[in-house]
């Protein structure tokens, strides 16, 4: 994923705001919703792998994957697309979200990422297959909090969105293990500042980590429904 330019983020946010409406008032007004204890973190837990880069599974078996050495969005991290451990969770969470927003969803894709000290998630908006998204905190050994940030919607003077009446605000969200952030991925800019901690470069050891999973969906009757071709094969 290429790093977005700020002018592209501003344009996508303006163009997409309001295109993923739901029947959840807080979610629509703010573009995000904190879901406490959405998952049992022990069931999602996975030890920190030795590998780094990007892995993509094309089957249900652990040995059915392809990989590249560099994870393009967060260099030095480990991203795992379609890891078999989380296939059923993808659908279970979808059903919970449908109850919250009162609209039906399609699965698109999911991936988990292990972050290490100094790594950051650049400010960006997501691609169309991430219309309705959830970031779940699985595990971490950090002794300090590490928030994810999200910008709430601007309020415009009219439907043409030509002039902002009131700017949105940047919100810092702290997730405990098992908590999740539900957000409108195409509409809301979101990011993480560099993860706290230092690498033990002398010994090549990464003692600190943060593990989270992104689960992505699109609205069944929304304008991005056709991106559901990305869902589980």
């Amino acid at each position: 994923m290429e790093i977005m330019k700020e002018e592209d983020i501003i344009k996508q946010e303006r163009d997409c705001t309001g295109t993923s409406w739901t029947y959840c008032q807080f979610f629509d007004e703010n573009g995000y919703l904190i879901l406490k204890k959405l998952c049992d973190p022990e069931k999602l837990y996975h030890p920190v792998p030795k590998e780094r880069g990007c892995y993509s599974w094309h089957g249900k078996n652990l040995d059915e994957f392809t990989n590249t050495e560099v994870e393009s969005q967060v260099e030095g991290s480990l991203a795992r697309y379609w890891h078999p451990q989380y296939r059923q969770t993808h659908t279970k969470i979808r059903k919970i979200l449908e109850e919250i927003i009162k609209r039906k969803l399609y699965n698109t894709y999911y991936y988990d990422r292990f972050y290490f000290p100094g790594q950051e998630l650049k400010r960006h908006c997501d691609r169309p297959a991430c219309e309705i998204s959830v970031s779940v905190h699985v595990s971490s050994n950090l002794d300090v909090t590490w928030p994810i940030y999200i910008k709430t919607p601007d309020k415009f003077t009219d439907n043409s969105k030509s002039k902002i009446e009131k700017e949105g605000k940047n919100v810092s969200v702290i997730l405990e293990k098992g908590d999740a952030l539900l957000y409108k991925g195409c509409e809301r800019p979101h990011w993480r500042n560099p993860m706290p901690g230092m690498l033990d470069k002398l010994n090549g050891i990464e003692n600190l980590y943060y593990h989270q999973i992104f689960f992505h969906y699109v609205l069944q009757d929304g304008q991005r429904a056709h991106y559901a071709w990305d869902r589980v094969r």
Side-chain angles (χ1 to χ4, degrees), residues 92-122:
K92 288 180 180 179
I93 288 179
R94 187 196 79 222
K95 294 177 180 179
I96 295 172
L97 300 185
E98 288 175 341
E99 289 297 316
I100 294 171
I101 68 173
K102 306 301 180 185
R103 292 186 73 181
K104 292 293 184 179
L105 300 169
Y106 286 131
N107 294 6
T108 54
Y109 73 102
Y110 65 88
Y111 70 101
D112 65 306
R113 178 181 286 128
F114 288 86
Y115 290 90
F116 303 102
Q119 296 173 1
E120 64 181 308
L121 181 65
K122 295 291 187 181

PDB file of all heavy atoms in Angstrom, residues 92-122:
ATOM      1  N   LYS A  92     -17.874 -14.357  12.352  1.00  0.00           N
ATOM      2  CA  LYS A  92     -18.525 -14.162  13.654  1.00  0.00           C
ATOM      3  C   LYS A  92     -18.627 -12.681  13.996  1.00  0.00           C
ATOM      4  O   LYS A  92     -19.661 -12.206  14.475  1.00  0.00           O
ATOM      5  CB  LYS A  92     -17.746 -14.904  14.741  1.00  0.00           C
ATOM      6  CG  LYS A  92     -17.888 -16.417  14.680  1.00  0.00           C
ATOM      7  CD  LYS A  92     -17.083 -17.089  15.791  1.00  0.00           C
ATOM      8  CE  LYS A  92     -17.228 -18.598  15.733  1.00  0.00           C
ATOM      9  NZ  LYS A  92     -16.424 -19.266  16.801  1.00  0.00           N
ATOM     10  N   ILE A  93     -17.560 -11.940  13.738  1.00  0.00           N
ATOM     11  CA  ILE A  93     -17.582 -10.505  14.024  1.00  0.00           C
ATOM     12  C   ILE A  93     -18.555  -9.789  13.097  1.00  0.00           C
ATOM     13  O   ILE A  93     -19.264  -8.866  13.511  1.00  0.00           O
ATOM     14  CB  ILE A  93     -16.161  -9.917  13.898  1.00  0.00           C
ATOM     15  CG1 ILE A  93     -15.304 -10.389  15.074  1.00  0.00           C
ATOM     16  CG2 ILE A  93     -16.206  -8.387  13.851  1.00  0.00           C
ATOM     17  CD1 ILE A  93     -13.886  -9.899  15.035  1.00  0.00           C
ATOM     18  N   ARG A  94     -18.609 -10.207  11.835  1.00  0.00           N
ATOM     19  CA  ARG A  94     -19.555  -9.587  10.897  1.00  0.00           C
ATOM     20  C   ARG A  94     -20.980  -9.639  11.439  1.00  0.00           C
ATOM     21  O   ARG A  94     -21.716  -8.639  11.387  1.00  0.00           O
ATOM     22  CB  ARG A  94     -19.503 -10.288   9.543  1.00  0.00           C
ATOM     23  CG  ARG A  94     -20.335  -9.589   8.466  1.00  0.00           C
ATOM     24  CD  ARG A  94     -20.590 -10.490   7.283  1.00  0.00           C
ATOM     25  NE  ARG A  94     -21.658 -11.432   7.565  1.00  0.00           N
ATOM     26  CZ  ARG A  94     -21.638 -12.715   7.229  1.00  0.00           C
ATOM     27  NH1 ARG A  94     -20.599 -13.249   6.610  1.00  0.00           N
ATOM     28  NH2 ARG A  94     -22.665 -13.495   7.519  1.00  0.00           N
ATOM     29  N   LYS A  95     -21.376 -10.761  11.991  1.00  0.00           N
ATOM     30  CA  LYS A  95     -22.745 -10.912  12.505  1.00  0.00           C
ATOM     31  C   LYS A  95     -22.996  -9.997  13.695  1.00  0.00           C
ATOM     32  O   LYS A  95     -24.099  -9.459  13.856  1.00  0.00           O
ATOM     33  CB  LYS A  95     -22.990 -12.371  12.869  1.00  0.00           C
ATOM     34  CG  LYS A  95     -22.980 -13.304  11.654  1.00  0.00           C
ATOM     35  CD  LYS A  95     -23.164 -14.754  12.055  1.00  0.00           C
ATOM     36  CE  LYS A  95     -23.155 -15.661  10.825  1.00  0.00           C
ATOM     37  NZ  LYS A  95     -23.310 -17.099  11.199  1.00  0.00           N
ATOM     38  N   ILE A  96     -21.982  -9.785  14.515  1.00  0.00           N
ATOM     39  CA  ILE A  96     -22.115  -8.862  15.647  1.00  0.00           C
ATOM     40  C   ILE A  96     -22.272  -7.430  15.137  1.00  0.00           C
ATOM     41  O   ILE A  96     -23.117  -6.671  15.624  1.00  0.00           O
ATOM     42  CB  ILE A  96     -20.894  -8.971  16.574  1.00  0.00           C
ATOM     43  CG1 ILE A  96     -20.840 -10.362  17.221  1.00  0.00           C
ATOM     44  CG2 ILE A  96     -20.927  -7.887  17.651  1.00  0.00           C
ATOM     45  CD1 ILE A  96     -19.568 -10.622  18.006  1.00  0.00           C
ATOM     46  N   LEU A  97     -21.470  -7.063  14.154  1.00  0.00           N
ATOM     47  CA  LEU A  97     -21.532  -5.711  13.612  1.00  0.00           C
ATOM     48  C   LEU A  97     -22.889  -5.425  12.964  1.00  0.00           C
ATOM     49  O   LEU A  97     -23.403  -4.305  13.064  1.00  0.00           O
ATOM     50  CB  LEU A  97     -20.419  -5.497  12.585  1.00  0.00           C
ATOM     51  CG  LEU A  97     -18.978  -5.671  13.088  1.00  0.00           C
ATOM     52  CD1 LEU A  97     -17.991  -5.304  11.982  1.00  0.00           C
ATOM     53  CD2 LEU A  97     -18.722  -4.850  14.333  1.00  0.00           C
ATOM     54  N   GLU A  98     -23.436  -6.412  12.301  1.00  0.00           N
ATOM     55  CA  GLU A  98     -24.743  -6.226  11.659  1.00  0.00           C
ATOM     56  C   GLU A  98     -25.816  -5.883  12.690  1.00  0.00           C
ATOM     57  O   GLU A  98     -26.728  -5.097  12.406  1.00  0.00           O
ATOM     58  CB  GLU A  98     -25.123  -7.484  10.882  1.00  0.00           C
ATOM     59  CG  GLU A  98     -24.292  -7.687   9.613  1.00  0.00           C
ATOM     60  CD  GLU A  98     -24.589  -8.995   8.903  1.00  0.00           C
ATOM     61  OE1 GLU A  98     -25.152  -9.921   9.549  1.00  0.00           O
ATOM     62  OE2 GLU A  98     -24.264  -9.109   7.718  1.00  0.00           O
ATOM     63  N   GLU A  99     -25.705  -6.441  13.884  1.00  0.00           N
ATOM     64  CA  GLU A  99     -26.657  -6.121  14.952  1.00  0.00           C
ATOM     65  C   GLU A  99     -26.462  -4.686  15.444  1.00  0.00           C
ATOM     66  O   GLU A  99     -27.414  -4.020  15.833  1.00  0.00           O
ATOM     67  CB  GLU A  99     -26.477  -7.101  16.114  1.00  0.00           C
ATOM     68  CG  GLU A  99     -26.949  -8.513  15.814  1.00  0.00           C
ATOM     69  CD  GLU A  99     -28.436  -8.563  15.535  1.00  0.00           C
ATOM     70  OE1 GLU A  99     -29.207  -7.907  16.270  1.00  0.00           O
ATOM     71  OE2 GLU A  99     -28.841  -9.251  14.579  1.00  0.00           O
ATOM     72  N   ILE A 100     -25.237  -4.222  15.415  1.00  0.00           N
ATOM     73  CA  ILE A 100     -24.929  -2.881  15.911  1.00  0.00           C
ATOM     74  C   ILE A 100     -25.363  -1.800  14.920  1.00  0.00           C
ATOM     75  O   ILE A 100     -25.980  -0.806  15.301  1.00  0.00           O
ATOM     76  CB  ILE A 100     -23.424  -2.750  16.208  1.00  0.00           C
ATOM     77  CG1 ILE A 100     -23.033  -3.675  17.369  1.00  0.00           C
ATOM     78  CG2 ILE A 100     -23.049  -1.303  16.521  1.00  0.00           C
ATOM     79  CD1 ILE A 100     -21.544  -3.773  17.597  1.00  0.00           C
ATOM     80  N   ILE A 101     -25.044  -1.997  13.635  1.00  0.00           N
ATOM     81  CA  ILE A 101     -25.320  -0.941  12.645  1.00  0.00           C
ATOM     82  C   ILE A 101     -26.654  -1.140  11.928  1.00  0.00           C
ATOM     83  O   ILE A 101     -27.097  -0.265  11.185  1.00  0.00           O
ATOM     84  CB  ILE A 101     -24.186  -0.847  11.613  1.00  0.00           C
ATOM     85  CG1 ILE A 101     -24.147  -2.090  10.721  1.00  0.00           C
ATOM     86  CG2 ILE A 101     -22.844  -0.622  12.299  1.00  0.00           C
ATOM     87  CD1 ILE A 101     -23.142  -1.984   9.571  1.00  0.00           C
ATOM     88  N   LYS A 102     -27.283  -2.302  12.136  1.00  0.00           N
ATOM     89  CA  LYS A 102     -28.597  -2.596  11.547  1.00  0.00           C
ATOM     90  C   LYS A 102     -28.580  -2.579  10.023  1.00  0.00           C
ATOM     91  O   LYS A 102     -29.550  -2.205   9.367  1.00  0.00           O
ATOM     92  CB  LYS A 102     -29.667  -1.621  12.070  1.00  0.00           C
ATOM     93  CG  LYS A 102     -29.767  -1.559  13.580  1.00  0.00           C
ATOM     94  CD  LYS A 102     -30.078  -2.912  14.196  1.00  0.00           C
ATOM     95  CE  LYS A 102     -30.182  -2.821  15.709  1.00  0.00           C
ATOM     96  NZ  LYS A 102     -30.360  -4.149  16.342  1.00  0.00           N
ATOM     97  N   ARG A 103     -27.468  -2.978   9.435  1.00  0.00           N
ATOM     98  CA  ARG A 103     -27.362  -3.186   7.986  1.00  0.00           C
ATOM     99  C   ARG A 103     -26.525  -4.434   7.748  1.00  0.00           C
ATOM    100  O   ARG A 103     -25.633  -4.760   8.542  1.00  0.00           O
ATOM    101  CB  ARG A 103     -26.716  -1.984   7.280  1.00  0.00           C
ATOM    102  CG  ARG A 103     -27.565  -0.732   7.291  1.00  0.00           C
ATOM    103  CD  ARG A 103     -26.949   0.381   6.466  1.00  0.00           C
ATOM    104  NE  ARG A 103     -27.049   0.125   5.024  1.00  0.00           N
ATOM    105  CZ  ARG A 103     -26.562   0.939   4.085  1.00  0.00           C
ATOM    106  NH1 ARG A 103     -25.908   2.044   4.443  1.00  0.00           N
ATOM    107  NH2 ARG A 103     -26.689   0.662   2.803  1.00  0.00           N
ATOM    108  N   LYS A 104     -26.798  -5.125   6.658  1.00  0.00           N
ATOM    109  CA  LYS A 104     -26.098  -6.357   6.340  1.00  0.00           C
ATOM    110  C   LYS A 104     -24.752  -6.061   5.681  1.00  0.00           C
ATOM    111  O   LYS A 104     -24.606  -5.093   4.926  1.00  0.00           O
ATOM    112  CB  LYS A 104     -26.952  -7.225   5.410  1.00  0.00           C
ATOM    113  CG  LYS A 104     -28.209  -7.790   6.069  1.00  0.00           C
ATOM    114  CD  LYS A 104     -27.861  -8.795   7.157  1.00  0.00           C
ATOM    115  CE  LYS A 104     -29.115  -9.428   7.733  1.00  0.00           C
ATOM    116  NZ  LYS A 104     -28.771 -10.440   8.778  1.00  0.00           N
ATOM    117  N   LEU A 105     -23.794  -6.942   5.948  1.00  0.00           N
ATOM    118  CA  LEU A 105     -22.432  -6.782   5.445  1.00  0.00           C
ATOM    119  C   LEU A 105     -21.975  -8.005   4.669  1.00  0.00           C
ATOM    120  O   LEU A 105     -22.481  -9.110   4.878  1.00  0.00           O
ATOM    121  CB  LEU A 105     -21.464  -6.565   6.617  1.00  0.00           C
ATOM    122  CG  LEU A 105     -21.703  -5.354   7.511  1.00  0.00           C
ATOM    123  CD1 LEU A 105     -20.827  -5.452   8.756  1.00  0.00           C
ATOM    124  CD2 LEU A 105     -21.413  -4.066   6.756  1.00  0.00           C
ATOM    125  N   TYR A 106     -21.015  -7.806   3.795  1.00  0.00           N
ATOM    126  CA  TYR A 106     -20.257  -8.886   3.170  1.00  0.00           C
ATOM    127  C   TYR A 106     -18.842  -8.882   3.750  1.00  0.00           C
ATOM    128  O   TYR A 106     -18.260  -7.815   3.990  1.00  0.00           O
ATOM    129  CB  TYR A 106     -20.132  -8.675   1.659  1.00  0.00           C
ATOM    130  CG  TYR A 106     -21.368  -8.929   0.847  1.00  0.00           C
ATOM    131  CD1 TYR A 106     -21.790  -7.979  -0.094  1.00  0.00           C
ATOM    132  CD2 TYR A 106     -22.108 -10.104   0.966  1.00  0.00           C
ATOM    133  CE1 TYR A 106     -22.916  -8.197  -0.884  1.00  0.00           C
ATOM    134  CE2 TYR A 106     -23.231 -10.328   0.182  1.00  0.00           C
ATOM    135  CZ  TYR A 106     -23.635  -9.373  -0.729  1.00  0.00           C
ATOM    136  OH  TYR A 106     -24.755  -9.589  -1.499  1.00  0.00           O
ATOM    137  N   ASN A 107     -18.289 -10.064   3.960  1.00  0.00           N
ATOM    138  CA  ASN A 107     -16.863 -10.160   4.255  1.00  0.00           C
ATOM    139  C   ASN A 107     -16.072  -9.713   3.024  1.00  0.00           C
ATOM    140  O   ASN A 107     -16.459 -10.019   1.896  1.00  0.00           O
ATOM    141  CB  ASN A 107     -16.455 -11.599   4.554  1.00  0.00           C
ATOM    142  CG  ASN A 107     -17.051 -12.157   5.824  1.00  0.00           C
ATOM    143  OD1 ASN A 107     -17.880 -11.523   6.471  1.00  0.00           O
ATOM    144  ND2 ASN A 107     -16.632 -13.354   6.195  1.00  0.00           N
ATOM    145  N   THR A 108     -14.960  -9.009   3.225  1.00  0.00           N
ATOM    146  CA  THR A 108     -14.031  -8.780   2.128  1.00  0.00           C
ATOM    147  C   THR A 108     -12.710  -9.478   2.439  1.00  0.00           C
ATOM    148  O   THR A 108     -12.423 -10.531   1.907  1.00  0.00           O
ATOM    149  CB  THR A 108     -13.830  -7.278   1.824  1.00  0.00           C
ATOM    150  OG1 THR A 108     -13.440  -6.587   3.014  1.00  0.00           O
ATOM    151  CG2 THR A 108     -15.094  -6.666   1.260  1.00  0.00           C
ATOM    152  N   TYR A 109     -11.927  -8.937   3.356  1.00  0.00           N
ATOM    153  CA  TYR A 109     -10.679  -9.629   3.703  1.00  0.00           C
ATOM    154  C   TYR A 109     -10.253  -9.227   5.108  1.00  0.00           C
ATOM    155  O   TYR A 109     -10.876  -8.377   5.756  1.00  0.00           O
ATOM    156  CB  TYR A 109      -9.577  -9.300   2.694  1.00  0.00           C
ATOM    157  CG  TYR A 109      -8.998  -7.912   2.789  1.00  0.00           C
ATOM    158  CD1 TYR A 109      -7.760  -7.684   3.395  1.00  0.00           C
ATOM    159  CD2 TYR A 109      -9.676  -6.812   2.248  1.00  0.00           C
ATOM    160  CE1 TYR A 109      -7.223  -6.414   3.461  1.00  0.00           C
ATOM    161  CE2 TYR A 109      -9.138  -5.541   2.305  1.00  0.00           C
ATOM    162  CZ  TYR A 109      -7.914  -5.338   2.917  1.00  0.00           C
ATOM    163  OH  TYR A 109      -7.379  -4.083   2.987  1.00  0.00           O
ATOM    164  N   TYR A 110      -9.209  -9.861   5.602  1.00  0.00           N
ATOM    165  CA  TYR A 110      -8.669  -9.512   6.911  1.00  0.00           C
ATOM    166  C   TYR A 110      -7.173  -9.784   6.917  1.00  0.00           C
ATOM    167  O   TYR A 110      -6.646 -10.532   6.092  1.00  0.00           O
ATOM    168  CB  TYR A 110      -9.348 -10.321   8.031  1.00  0.00           C
ATOM    169  CG  TYR A 110      -9.088 -11.804   7.986  1.00  0.00           C
ATOM    170  CD1 TYR A 110      -7.973 -12.361   8.619  1.00  0.00           C
ATOM    171  CD2 TYR A 110      -9.958 -12.672   7.319  1.00  0.00           C
ATOM    172  CE1 TYR A 110      -7.722 -13.724   8.576  1.00  0.00           C
ATOM    173  CE2 TYR A 110      -9.723 -14.034   7.279  1.00  0.00           C
ATOM    174  CZ  TYR A 110      -8.608 -14.555   7.911  1.00  0.00           C
ATOM    175  OH  TYR A 110      -8.360 -15.898   7.853  1.00  0.00           O
ATOM    176  N   TYR A 111      -6.492  -9.150   7.832  1.00  0.00           N
ATOM    177  CA  TYR A 111      -5.083  -9.461   8.063  1.00  0.00           C
ATOM    178  C   TYR A 111      -4.691  -9.002   9.462  1.00  0.00           C
ATOM    179  O   TYR A 111      -5.331  -8.133  10.053  1.00  0.00           O
ATOM    180  CB  TYR A 111      -4.176  -8.815   7.010  1.00  0.00           C
ATOM    181  CG  TYR A 111      -4.034  -7.322   7.055  1.00  0.00           C
ATOM    182  CD1 TYR A 111      -2.915  -6.720   7.624  1.00  0.00           C
ATOM    183  CD2 TYR A 111      -5.009  -6.497   6.492  1.00  0.00           C
ATOM    184  CE1 TYR A 111      -2.764  -5.343   7.641  1.00  0.00           C
ATOM    185  CE2 TYR A 111      -4.870  -5.125   6.506  1.00  0.00           C
ATOM    186  CZ  TYR A 111      -3.754  -4.548   7.080  1.00  0.00           C
ATOM    187  OH  TYR A 111      -3.616  -3.183   7.102  1.00  0.00           O
ATOM    188  N   ASP A 112      -3.672  -9.637  10.000  1.00  0.00           N
ATOM    189  CA  ASP A 112      -3.168  -9.230  11.301  1.00  0.00           C
ATOM    190  C   ASP A 112      -1.753  -8.704  11.152  1.00  0.00           C
ATOM    191  O   ASP A 112      -1.061  -9.011  10.180  1.00  0.00           O
ATOM    192  CB  ASP A 112      -3.232 -10.374  12.317  1.00  0.00           C
ATOM    193  CG  ASP A 112      -2.326 -11.553  11.965  1.00  0.00           C
ATOM    194  OD1 ASP A 112      -2.436 -12.073  10.836  1.00  0.00           O
ATOM    195  OD2 ASP A 112      -1.512 -11.954  12.811  1.00  0.00           O
ATOM    196  N   ARG A 113      -1.341  -7.866  12.095  1.00  0.00           N
ATOM    197  CA  ARG A 113      -0.008  -7.284  12.027  1.00  0.00           C
ATOM    198  C   ARG A 113       0.641  -7.298  13.407  1.00  0.00           C
ATOM    199  O   ARG A 113       0.005  -6.971  14.408  1.00  0.00           O
ATOM    200  CB  ARG A 113      -0.063  -5.855  11.491  1.00  0.00           C
ATOM    201  CG  ARG A 113       1.321  -5.192  11.457  1.00  0.00           C
ATOM    202  CD  ARG A 113       1.281  -3.759  10.959  1.00  0.00           C
ATOM    203  NE  ARG A 113       1.079  -3.699   9.510  1.00  0.00           N
ATOM    204  CZ  ARG A 113       0.151  -2.975   8.912  1.00  0.00           C
ATOM    205  NH1 ARG A 113      -0.676  -2.256   9.637  1.00  0.00           N
ATOM    206  NH2 ARG A 113       0.034  -2.968   7.600  1.00  0.00           N
ATOM    207  N   PHE A 114       1.917  -7.660  13.420  1.00  0.00           N
ATOM    208  CA  PHE A 114       2.756  -7.527  14.600  1.00  0.00           C
ATOM    209  C   PHE A 114       3.633  -6.289  14.408  1.00  0.00           C
ATOM    210  O   PHE A 114       4.430  -6.234  13.469  1.00  0.00           O
ATOM    211  CB  PHE A 114       3.645  -8.764  14.777  1.00  0.00           C
ATOM    212  CG  PHE A 114       2.913  -9.997  15.219  1.00  0.00           C
ATOM    213  CD1 PHE A 114       2.304 -10.833  14.281  1.00  0.00           C
ATOM    214  CD2 PHE A 114       2.822 -10.339  16.567  1.00  0.00           C
ATOM    215  CE1 PHE A 114       1.636 -11.980  14.671  1.00  0.00           C
ATOM    216  CE2 PHE A 114       2.150 -11.487  16.966  1.00  0.00           C
ATOM    217  CZ  PHE A 114       1.554 -12.313  16.019  1.00  0.00           C
ATOM    218  N   TYR A 115       3.438  -5.294  15.278  1.00  0.00           N
ATOM    219  CA  TYR A 115       4.265  -4.087  15.276  1.00  0.00           C
ATOM    220  C   TYR A 115       5.420  -4.249  16.259  1.00  0.00           C
ATOM    221  O   TYR A 115       5.287  -4.932  17.281  1.00  0.00           O
ATOM    222  CB  TYR A 115       3.451  -2.875  15.728  1.00  0.00           C
ATOM    223  CG  TYR A 115       2.385  -2.375  14.797  1.00  0.00           C
ATOM    224  CD1 TYR A 115       1.081  -2.855  14.878  1.00  0.00           C
ATOM    225  CD2 TYR A 115       2.659  -1.372  13.872  1.00  0.00           C
ATOM    226  CE1 TYR A 115       0.075  -2.355  14.053  1.00  0.00           C
ATOM    227  CE2 TYR A 115       1.657  -0.865  13.052  1.00  0.00           C
ATOM    228  CZ  TYR A 115       0.373  -1.365  13.148  1.00  0.00           C
ATOM    229  OH  TYR A 115      -0.619  -0.865  12.335  1.00  0.00           O
ATOM    230  N   PHE A 116       6.508  -3.536  15.976  1.00  0.00           N
ATOM    231  CA  PHE A 116       7.673  -3.554  16.845  1.00  0.00           C
ATOM    232  C   PHE A 116       8.134  -2.120  17.084  1.00  0.00           C
ATOM    233  O   PHE A 116       7.673  -1.188  16.407  1.00  0.00           O
ATOM    234  CB  PHE A 116       8.768  -4.425  16.223  1.00  0.00           C
ATOM    235  CG  PHE A 116       8.309  -5.830  15.953  1.00  0.00           C
ATOM    236  CD1 PHE A 116       7.963  -6.230  14.658  1.00  0.00           C
ATOM    237  CD2 PHE A 116       8.162  -6.729  16.989  1.00  0.00           C
ATOM    238  CE1 PHE A 116       7.508  -7.510  14.413  1.00  0.00           C
ATOM    239  CE2 PHE A 116       7.698  -8.016  16.757  1.00  0.00           C
ATOM    240  CZ  PHE A 116       7.371  -8.412  15.466  1.00  0.00           C
ATOM    241  N   PRO A 117       9.018  -1.879  18.067  1.00  0.00           N
ATOM    242  CA  PRO A 117       9.378  -0.516  18.460  1.00  0.00           C
ATOM    243  C   PRO A 117       9.764   0.393  17.298  1.00  0.00           C
ATOM    244  O   PRO A 117      10.481  -0.001  16.379  1.00  0.00           O
ATOM    245  CB  PRO A 117      10.571  -0.736  19.405  1.00  0.00           C
ATOM    246  CG  PRO A 117      10.285  -2.055  20.039  1.00  0.00           C
ATOM    247  CD  PRO A 117       9.689  -2.879  18.923  1.00  0.00           C
ATOM    248  N   GLY A 118       9.247   1.611  17.353  1.00  0.00           N
ATOM    249  CA  GLY A 118       9.571   2.631  16.363  1.00  0.00           C
ATOM    250  C   GLY A 118       8.711   2.598  15.117  1.00  0.00           C
ATOM    251  O   GLY A 118       8.748   3.527  14.312  1.00  0.00           O
ATOM    252  N   GLN A 119       7.918   1.557  14.943  1.00  0.00           N
ATOM    253  CA  GLN A 119       7.095   1.437  13.739  1.00  0.00           C
ATOM    254  C   GLN A 119       5.796   2.219  13.902  1.00  0.00           C
ATOM    255  O   GLN A 119       5.228   2.286  14.990  1.00  0.00           O
ATOM    256  CB  GLN A 119       6.814  -0.043  13.446  1.00  0.00           C
ATOM    257  CG  GLN A 119       8.085  -0.806  13.114  1.00  0.00           C
ATOM    258  CD  GLN A 119       7.874  -2.297  12.983  1.00  0.00           C
ATOM    259  OE1 GLN A 119       6.766  -2.813  13.123  1.00  0.00           O
ATOM    260  NE2 GLN A 119       8.951  -3.018  12.715  1.00  0.00           N
ATOM    261  N   GLU A 120       5.334   2.798  12.804  1.00  0.00           N
ATOM    262  CA  GLU A 120       4.127   3.605  12.845  1.00  0.00           C
ATOM    263  C   GLU A 120       3.215   3.274  11.674  1.00  0.00           C
ATOM    264  O   GLU A 120       3.658   2.747  10.649  1.00  0.00           O
ATOM    265  CB  GLU A 120       4.481   5.095  12.813  1.00  0.00           C
ATOM    266  CG  GLU A 120       5.162   5.538  11.526  1.00  0.00           C
ATOM    267  CD  GLU A 120       5.514   7.007  11.529  1.00  0.00           C
ATOM    268  OE1 GLU A 120       4.612   7.840  11.803  1.00  0.00           O
ATOM    269  OE2 GLU A 120       6.677   7.332  11.265  1.00  0.00           O
ATOM    270  N   LEU A 121       1.952   3.590  11.848  1.00  0.00           N
ATOM    271  CA  LEU A 121       0.973   3.463  10.774  1.00  0.00           C
ATOM    272  C   LEU A 121       0.683   4.868  10.284  1.00  0.00           C
ATOM    273  O   LEU A 121       0.112   5.688  11.010  1.00  0.00           O
ATOM    274  CB  LEU A 121      -0.302   2.798  11.290  1.00  0.00           C
ATOM    275  CG  LEU A 121      -1.410   2.570  10.267  1.00  0.00           C
ATOM    276  CD1 LEU A 121      -0.963   1.581   9.195  1.00  0.00           C
ATOM    277  CD2 LEU A 121      -2.684   2.072  10.956  1.00  0.00           C
ATOM    278  N   LYS A 122       1.111   5.164   9.068  1.00  0.00           N
ATOM    279  CA  LYS A 122       0.950   6.513   8.527  1.00  0.00           C
ATOM    280  C   LYS A 122      -0.534   6.870   8.405  1.00  0.00           C
ATOM    281  O   LYS A 122      -1.388   6.012   8.148  1.00  0.00           O
ATOM    282  CB  LYS A 122       1.618   6.617   7.164  1.00  0.00           C
ATOM    283  CG  LYS A 122       3.127   6.440   7.169  1.00  0.00           C
ATOM    284  CD  LYS A 122       3.836   7.601   7.830  1.00  0.00           C
ATOM    285  CE  LYS A 122       5.351   7.485   7.666  1.00  0.00           C
ATOM    286  NZ  LYS A 122       6.063   8.620   8.331  1.00  0.00           N
TER     287      LYS A 122
END
